[in-house]
Amino acid sequence: MPHSLKPIIISFIICLWLGLTTQLSHAQMNDSYTVQAGDTLTLIALRYNLAMIDIALANQLPYPYLIYPGQTLILPGILPPTPTPIFTGYSASPLMQPPTNLTPATTGQVKLHTIQMGETLFSIATLYGVSMPDLMQANGLTNPDILQMGQILEIPSNLPAEPTTLPEPFSSIYFSEAVIMQGHTLVVKVNLSQVARLSGVFNGTRLFFTGSGQQKWVIVAVDAMTPPDSYAVQFTATMPDGRDMTTYRNITVTSGGYGTEDIQLEEGRETLLDPETSQAEWELLTKLWSQITPRPLWQGTFNYPVNMTTSGMTSFFGTRRSYNASPIVSFHSGVDFSGGASTPIFAPAAGRVVLADTLQVRGNVVLLDHGLGLFSGYWHQSRIMVEVGQEVAAGDLIGYVGDTGLVTGPHLHWEMRLNGLAVEPLQWTEQVIP
Ligand SMILES: [Zn+2]
């Protein structure tokens, strides 16, 4: 689920505040402004008491966050500048390159975004790297301030051109796959020529990099329902003096070739699919797997959670699902293994138990936190053998297979979540990540 940008913007503003020099510069009360080296839209909006959204709209900015020195901006309905300290003392070198051209989507795939609490049209446009006017036009919006939580927006595809050479301080950007499959985990490694803070955005999701100094990396979940297309990954390096440099790399997402299946539920059990019943359970899990333990607890590849000489896989990840011949409502978010009440479940990698409880839909569950936003879940157990807070090592017993919750028979459902998105667990058993 996309993170709201609001806290990020707020903390960004606070960071700006802390990094300020105290010299004041009084810009004139013109209705236009020439972008200076070191300017960001946030900074200009702050300085002139304007909403970023209004500046972006007034200037039909192709990318609200991408402005460049020398660019003339219209400042709509400008108020007297506030005595806010501003950045001074930047070198005259261009800090940002304007996008040289925009490549419209050719595949006709449609991306959708469900508006979350606290989001604005500007924050959504920024998340996807699309312009406010394009976003408004695609959705027939006339007033950018009137949005409803839960409203679904169509995100027009607007892929920025990849720069042929990386701007300073970027030395190299490495993707573990040039073409990534739906539902898979991508490793991104970035080398910088100097120490800088690094952040990124991919398909509406913020990327939080780890690593110190000049080498950073992040693991990125590609949602299993992502329409196959090319996507821009945005990287922003913030230098110690507060300057931002943004660049892009494109990544192609391909189909996972996932099939479809219809699940027949027995009478009585189907009522558990009632949204109200499962909503509280979903919220509990979402709250848990949205947290980020800042260091990785796992190492190397993951093992299978059951002994594969006695158990087999009965359902794969990604399969589009319908229930009792209804339309497709979801996809299978994990891998199912056969087994019974005497089949032990082992932790496939080191982690910490964050949930060991009985839920209505998922039955007896264990959820392990592996760090860096990576979690693994074990549903429908007959018995739970661990407690919340317990640290487990790879191979430790965590429970036994069962048929508790919404199931058609005994099995283990093994699921992996990265930043809240379900990812293919089998990739983690084959590939050393990162
Ligand atoms: Zn399952």
Side-chain angles (χ1 to χ4, degrees):
M1 201 158 288
H3 299 268
S4 165
L5 251 190
K6 206 169 185 180
I8 293 159
I9 290 172
I10 290 168
S11 57
F12 177 59
I13 291 168
I14 292 166
C15 291
L16 286 178
W17 225 281
L18 294 174
L20 298 178
T21 58
T22 50
Q23 246 182 309
L24 297 184
S25 161
H26 293 278
Q28 298 199 332
M29 282 178 59
N30 289 334
D31 59 358
S32 73
Y33 174 78
T34 304
V35 177
Q36 306 297 308
D39 275 338
T40 65
L41 204 60
T42 314
L43 199 59
I44 296 167
L46 260 179
R47 197 183 303 157
Y48 290 98
N49 248 339
L50 291 168
M52 286 193 291
I53 199 171
D54 292 333
I55 304 176
L57 271 179
N59 294 278
Q60 307 266 303
L61 292 180
Y63 296 95
Y65 46 88
L66 251 193
I67 53 175
Y68 53 94
Q71 184 182 11
T72 302
L73 291 179
I74 298 161
L75 299 182
I78 185 172
L79 298 168
T82 51
T84 307
I86 60 158
F87 281 107
T88 56
Y90 285 107
S91 70
S93 66
L95 294 169
M96 283 185 177
Q97 301 297 327
T100 48
N101 63 62
L102 306 175
T103 313
T106 51
T107 56
Q109 297 283 357
V110 175
K111 269 184 275 180
L112 299 175
H113 177 90
T114 307
I115 297 176
Q116 309 293 313
M117 171 107 78
E119 285 187 323
T120 64
L121 205 62
F122 179 81
S123 73
I124 296 165
T126 306
L127 271 178
Y128 290 96
V130 299
S131 77
M132 296 266 301
D134 285 354
L135 192 55
M136 290 177 70
Q137 196 186 3
N139 293 280
L141 301 176
T142 49
N143 186 341
D145 297 327
I146 300 178
L147 294 177
Q148 282 188 324
M149 225 172 87
Q151 188 179 347
I152 295 172
L153 293 182
E154 193 177 302
I155 308 297
S157 183
N158 225 354
L159 212 56
E162 263 186 334
T164 45
T165 53
L166 288 172
E168 282 289 316
F170 295 96
S171 307
S172 65
I173 296 175
Y174 160 86
F175 288 162
S176 56
E177 324 273 339
V179 173
I180 187 89
M181 215 182 272
Q182 294 170 319
H184 276 226
T185 301
L186 177 72
V187 180
V188 181
K189 293 178 179 174
V190 178
N191 281 295
L192 301 166
S193 61
Q194 59 168 292
V195 176
R197 266 191 305 121
L198 189 62
S199 63
V201 179
F202 165 68
N203 196 25
T205 309
R206 279 266 145 195
L207 307 180
F208 297 97
F209 285 84
T210 30
S212 53
Q214 292 160 237
Q215 293 186 316
K216 314 274 187 188
W217 59 275
V218 66
I219 45 176
V220 184
V222 178
D223 193 310
M225 298 300 248
T226 307
D229 201 348
S230 284
Y231 293 84
V233 186
Q234 181 204 316
F235 301 91
T236 300
T238 304
M239 259 70 89
D241 62 7
R243 285 182 302 146
D244 277 349
M245 173 58 86
T246 295
T247 191
Y248 297 91
R249 263 298 150 86
N250 296 342
I251 182 91
T252 301
V253 177
T254 57
S255 163
Y258 302 122
T260 55
E261 65 183 0
D262 184 61
I263 311 282
Q264 292 295 323
L265 294 172
E266 292 167 35
E267 249 179 72
R269 293 213 166 187
E270 62 196 303
T271 57
L272 282 173
L273 269 182
D274 173 44
E276 273 181 40
T277 313
S278 56
Q279 185 63 24
E281 186 172 320
W282 174 251
E283 280 170 13
L284 167 76
L285 290 167
T286 302
K287 201 174 156 191
L288 288 169
W289 61 47
S290 300
Q291 292 168 11
I292 298 179
T293 299
R295 65 201 164 83
L297 305 177
W298 83 92
Q299 217 174 16
T301 55
F302 277 54
N303 300 321
Y304 289 102
V306 289
N307 184 338
M308 292 304 281
T309 57
T310 50
S311 289
M313 280 180 253
T314 53
S315 179
F316 291 99
F317 171 87
T319 309
R320 277 52 174 145
R321 281 189 157 175
S322 61
Y323 291 91
N324 295 348
S326 70
I328 289 169
V329 289
S330 60
F331 64 93
H332 188 218
S333 53
V335 179
D336 290 348
F337 295 90
S338 60
S342 62
T343 308
I345 304 167
F346 305 106
R352 194 170 53 86
V353 180
V354 290
L355 183 67
D357 207 349
T358 302
L359 306 177
Q360 271 196 287
V361 177
R362 293 164 185 82
N364 292 331
V365 304
V366 168
L367 185 67
L368 300 181
D369 177 2
H370 300 287
L372 299 183
L374 181 70
F375 292 80
S376 62
Y378 308 83
W379 310 158
H380 314 305
Q381 300 184 22
S382 56
R383 275 187 294 161
I384 295 171
M385 304 301 287
V386 287
E387 288 173 357
V388 170
Q390 191 178 330
E391 308 265 341
V392 295
D396 284 358
L397 178 70
I398 55 176
Y400 289 91
V401 175
D403 64 351
T404 54
L406 179 69
V407 289
T408 52
H411 71 277
L412 168 68
H413 171 99
W414 178 36
E415 165 163 334
M416 284 183 74
R417 294 266 163 183
L418 176 55
N419 294 322
L421 294 174
V423 291
E424 166 66 278
L426 299 184
Q427 184 191 357
W428 287 80
T429 65
E430 293 158 6
Q431 190 182 332
V432 177
I433 299 173

